[in-house]
Amino acid sequence: MTIAGRPEPGNRAAWQPLLADLEQRRSGSRAMGGPARVARYTAAVPGRLPARARIAALLDEHSFTELGTLTGGAEIPADAFVAGSGLLDGRPVFVGAEDFTVQGGSIGPGAAAKRARLVRLAGQERAPLVTLLEGAGHRAGNALAGHTATPNDLQALVDLAGLVPTVAIVHGPSAGHGALTAPLSDFVIMVEGSGALFTAGPPLVAAATGERVDKHTLGGSQVHCVVSGVAHNAVPDDAAALRLARRYLSYFPSHAWQHPPYAGAESGNADTGPRGTEALLDLIPPDARRPYDIKAVLTEVFDAGTVLEVQPAHGASIVTALARLGGHAVAILANQPAVRAGTIDADAADKAARFVQVAGAFHLPVVFLADNPGVLAGTAAERSGVLRAAARLFAAQHRLRVPKLHLTLRKAFGFGSSVMAMNPFDAQTVSYALPGVTLGGIPAAAGAAAAKQDADSTRRLTANEASGPWRSANALSYDDVIAPTEVRDALLAGLTRARARLTGPIEPDRRPGRLP
């Protein structure tokens, strides 16, 4: 008879067959598609990493804890989906990677359950979720095996929106169910030349429609990062994609019940204090008809080296970016005078509205830099739904419950001023203008011509438009008129004004919820 708690000499030996079997099964799963297939896979594209190496490169060293290692058994290692949790810059994060070396990364019943479990854990434990995509969608053999009902991770992803940050990286072709993970995520990165997203791949397109198309023409980064706007940023290789995911998440809290992390001098950010912005006198021409690159202005105003543009190639007349201001993470919405004079089209407005929603959900203050002649006019613009898109952006900025810092740089006309949060009585923390700004419902010359005004009326309307911000400041349409040299310090003062909201408890009217 064995006494409880007392070592039994034969126990250690009895465990050995069980432990050997466990290690053999684990080793088979971790080998993915096997050494030969993995070697061919990595050799085919320079810089390409297999699924497990991608997870290791994303996370802090030796921090990964796997979930569902033995799903799929010996025949389908990890059921082609490696998943689990780890640390990213010391913070918990959940990650799942489709393994293209195993049945093309397709989704079997075990992988479906694992995907749903992973998403639900991210919400339950309040940690970001990163999904690495390269797969063929649902496995063709599922129906033959009788698997018809499986947990649905897409439903859980919808419920997760606005509660924890979500990132999708498209490393290779991603079709069907797996591809839908991307548009349901906050931030989508595509690897140029490898990544592709589509509802159905080229063979199915040919069978269904007769159209012959390659995967990149159908859904590559040029399609989705530039034209459709489904994805945000394109990068050259896997390593760059994983670095970008880490950088993006550094601006966000782990979940919507926290404020964004502060990055002061102790984190290596030496540029957190006040300073003049004299370079703006050279960068911004006072003549509102002359173009300039707003990105150079952002580099000058915000903490050095912290500006990260989001979705740079789509809707380029508005720049959406993350940055730090005095160490605080902020979101930036800025008109781009170098692109159609900053005119707001449907793509720009749609991009900006989604960006503002994500920023608001995670309590990032939003800085609005307005310099536009209004919302794009014309038949093509109307057919694109520009009114709907602009209205959506207006609603998104109006619904913000975070600090809103507005600055009119040179011009703001009509609804273009409203969508850029120009109204100081719409919960703005600060509202500023530079001297010399031109304002109005529509540009004076065009409005006078449309109304068939006489020469004297046209002259007076034009003179009023050119009179600068003084009349508006007199009526408190702006809190103040500032010099270009004072822009950074004025915005820093705005954050100081909002300090209670930046650091205090999450207020009841700012509790997280689903994005609309």
Side-chain angles (χ1 to χ4, degrees):
M1 181 176 179
T2 303
I3 300 173
R6 182 174 177 177
E8 185 72 20
N11 282 352
R12 182 179 294 268
W15 273 107
Q16 296 313 304
L18 296 173
L19 296 177
D21 182 41
L22 173 61
E23 183 55 33
Q24 181 180 12
R25 292 173 186 273
R26 284 177 172 174
S27 296
S29 174
R30 290 167 181 162
M32 299 177 285
R37 184 173 295 175
V38 171
R40 289 195 301 270
Y41 171 81
T42 54
V45 177
R48 183 155 72 174
L49 301 172
R52 290 182 179 275
R54 287 169 181 163
I55 291 175
L58 174 71
L59 299 177
D60 297 350
E61 191 173 9
H62 305 309
S63 69
F64 181 55
T65 300
E66 190 164 352
L67 161 71
T69 309
L70 304 181
T71 53
E75 296 79 17
I76 312 174
D79 206 22
F81 187 69
V82 184
S85 61
L87 299 177
L88 197 158
D89 291 335
R91 298 190 295 169
V93 64
F94 288 86
V95 60
E98 294 177 334
D99 181 1
F100 198 75
T101 70
V102 177
Q103 300 215 2
S106 57
I107 303 171
K114 200 189 306 189
R115 294 170 85 107
R117 171 86 169 132
L118 188 72
V119 178
R120 286 175 169 80
L121 277 171
Q124 174 182 302
E125 307 304 335
R126 299 184 179 183
L129 174 68
V130 182
T131 310
L132 313 179
L133 299 173
E134 185 178 16
H138 277 296
R139 196 168 298 152
N142 289 350
L144 296 178
H147 299 292
T148 56
T150 56
N152 192 315
D153 59 302
L154 300 183
Q155 296 166 350
L157 267 173
V158 172
D159 291 337
L160 209 59
L163 302 182
V164 304
T166 53
V167 176
I169 302 178
V170 187
H171 291 275
S174 181
H177 182 102
L180 288 168
T181 302
L184 291 174
S185 299
D186 298 334
F187 185 54
V188 182
I189 304 164
M190 294 189 75
V191 177
E192 296 169 332
S194 299
L197 285 167
F198 23 67
T199 57
L204 287 177
V205 170
T209 70
E211 182 184 8
R212 304 288 175 178
V213 63
D214 66 81
K215 63 184 180 182
H216 297 297
T217 305
L218 180 62
S221 61
Q222 188 69 19
V223 174
H224 289 310
C225 293
V226 180
V227 181
S228 75
V230 169
H232 295 85
N233 290 44
V235 295
D237 54 33
D238 284 0
L242 297 163
R243 287 195 302 269
L244 179 57
R246 289 180 67 98
R247 185 179 179 195
Y248 174 86
L249 288 172
S250 73
Y251 294 92
F252 288 88
S254 291
H255 52 78
W257 292 267
Q258 287 181 337
H259 291 291
Y262 175 77
E266 68 282 355
S267 65
N269 183 4
D271 185 28
T272 59
R275 56 173 169 79
T277 46
E278 284 79 7
L280 298 192
L281 296 171
D282 302 312
L283 295 172
I284 304 174
D287 183 351
R289 295 168 295 181
R290 289 180 56 197
Y292 65 95
D293 188 353
I294 192 66
K295 297 177 189 180
V297 173
L298 305 187
T299 299
E300 174 65 18
V301 170
F302 294 92
D303 296 0
T306 67
V307 177
L308 170 61
E309 189 174 358
V310 174
Q311 213 163 14
H314 179 74
S317 65
I318 285 182
V319 171
T320 48
L322 300 168
R324 293 194 177 275
L325 181 62
H328 294 282
V330 298
I332 304 164
L333 205 64
N335 299 126
Q336 174 56 291
V339 178
R340 289 194 300 274
T343 304
I344 301 168
D345 62 11
D347 284 347
D350 277 334
K351 172 180 83 170
R354 175 63 179 169
F355 178 75
V356 164
Q357 287 177 323
V358 173
F362 296 107
H363 317 303
L364 274 70
V366 182
V367 179
F368 294 84
L369 302 178
D371 191 343
N372 74 82
V375 174
L376 187 63
T379 56
E382 299 301 345
R383 291 171 181 173
S384 73
V386 69
L387 285 175
R388 179 185 63 246
R392 181 180 176 226
L393 174 54
F394 174 74
Q397 68 80 26
H398 171 70
R399 289 173 178 157
L400 286 172
R401 295 296 178 266
V402 297
K404 294 197 290 185
L405 315 177
H406 173 91
L407 171 63
T408 301
L409 295 167
R410 297 191 309 177
K411 60 186 181 296
F413 288 100
F415 201 42
S417 62
S418 298
V419 300
M420 293 300 293
M422 198 179 90
N423 185 350
F425 298 100
D426 191 21
Q428 274 77 347
T429 300
V430 293
S431 187
Y432 295 123
L434 298 186
V437 301
T438 53
L439 308 168
I442 56 175
K452 297 181 172 57
Q453 297 290 327
D454 58 31
D456 182 61
S457 297
T458 300
R459 180 188 58 75
R460 286 187 289 112
L461 286 168
T462 304
N464 180 70
E465 176 186 274
S467 64
W470 316 118
R471 185 174 300 177
S472 295
N474 187 50
L476 207 63
S477 293
Y478 291 109
D479 295 333
D480 206 353
V481 179
I482 62 174
T485 57
E486 301 168 333
V487 168
R488 175 179 169 87
D489 290 353
L491 294 176
L492 281 171
L495 291 185
T496 300
R497 178 179 288 181
R499 181 176 293 166
R501 286 199 283 165
L502 294 176
T503 60
I506 303 296
E507 298 168 9
D509 67 341
R510 298 172 68 214
R511 285 178 298 186
R514 293 184 198 139
L515 297 174

